[in-house]
Amino acid sequence: QMDKNFAKMVSHLRALNTLPNLVVWQHTFAPREYIIHHLDELFNRLISQHIYQDGGGPVQKQIQLPSIMSHRLVGLMDVFRQLESYITLDTSRIFNVILLRHTQPEENTPGPTLASQYTEWYLDKLEEHIKSGEVCYAPLRKCFVRKHQMAPNFNAELYTN
């Protein structure tokens, strides 16, 4: 079943390369632009979903480490790059636009950006552990560190990768 669906997708994408525009009742439809627009939305939505640990969702606030999120993004981008072998599109432009949006604290897109989610989550965790006395600021190291080596719940150094 999966091979059939993949074969159908490949044939549809290759058809888009041969027919760039369709004229239907005096309206011009550009299927490649339509697909690019939807790939933009899909990539944006997948980034927002992949930030959370396995099914955690925004309610539980179980966010991935930045290094794990980076590996997930690279894998996701590799899948999108494979589409370039079937249809002429510029995936690097899609990546640049969407990832640039996610570096901003606020954006005009539905849902929060990666930068705002990581900032909010990290500040909440840091505030929680500073109040409990587990973490303090080390001026010589210019970072937050654990006061006691016996505080296994939160390792401030681990989340600053």
Side-chain angles (χ1 to χ4, degrees):
Q1 180 66 19
M2 188 78 152
D3 290 337
K4 283 182 179 179
N5 289 339
F6 182 75
K8 286 180 186 178
M9 182 190 73
V10 168
S11 65
H12 288 303
L13 291 175
R14 288 200 173 144
L16 293 178
N17 279 337
T18 59
L19 188 64
N21 296 323
L22 297 170
V23 179
V24 179
W25 292 316
Q26 299 174 353
H27 294 284
T28 303
F29 174 68
R32 187 177 304 140
E33 290 177 21
Y34 177 80
I35 290 211
I36 290 172
H37 173 72
H38 283 284
L39 286 175
D40 280 349
E41 291 177 356
L42 177 65
F43 188 60
N44 191 23
R45 188 173 61 247
L46 288 174
I47 287 175
S48 297
Q49 289 173 355
H50 278 283
I51 193 170
Y52 297 106
Q53 289 181 3
D54 305 319
V59 176
Q60 296 176 355
K61 302 233 181 213
Q62 296 291 325
I63 293 181
Q64 293 289 345
L65 291 170
S67 58
I68 293 173
M69 183 61 189
S70 175
H71 290 294
R72 285 185 170 193
L73 277 177
V74 168
L76 192 59
M77 291 166 70
D78 288 341
V79 170
F80 272 73
R81 280 194 192 106
Q82 288 179 357
L83 291 176
E84 286 184 330
S85 60
Y86 304 111
I87 186 171
T88 307
L89 55 96
D90 188 11
T91 55
S92 61
R93 186 204 61 80
I94 293 173
F95 300 148
N96 289 339
V97 169
I98 300 297
L99 291 175
L100 182 63
R101 281 187 203 156
H102 278 278
T103 61
Q104 305 301 316
E106 288 185 11
E107 185 60 38
N108 293 332
T109 58
T113 63
L114 281 179
S116 65
Q117 288 177 329
Y118 272 115
T119 303
E120 179 184 330
W121 174 82
Y122 188 74
L123 289 176
D124 287 346
K125 285 293 187 182
L126 193 59
E127 179 184 14
E128 175 184 319
H129 291 284
I130 287 174
K131 284 181 180 178
S132 69
E134 295 176 10
V135 175
C136 67
Y137 182 72
L140 291 176
R141 292 174 63 184
K142 295 183 181 179
C143 67
F144 289 96
V145 294
R146 290 184 292 169
K147 275 186 171 179
H148 309 288
Q149 294 299 331
M150 301 305 286
N153 294 340
F154 183 75
N155 188 351
E157 298 92 352
L158 182 64
Y159 285 91
T160 57
N161 63 357

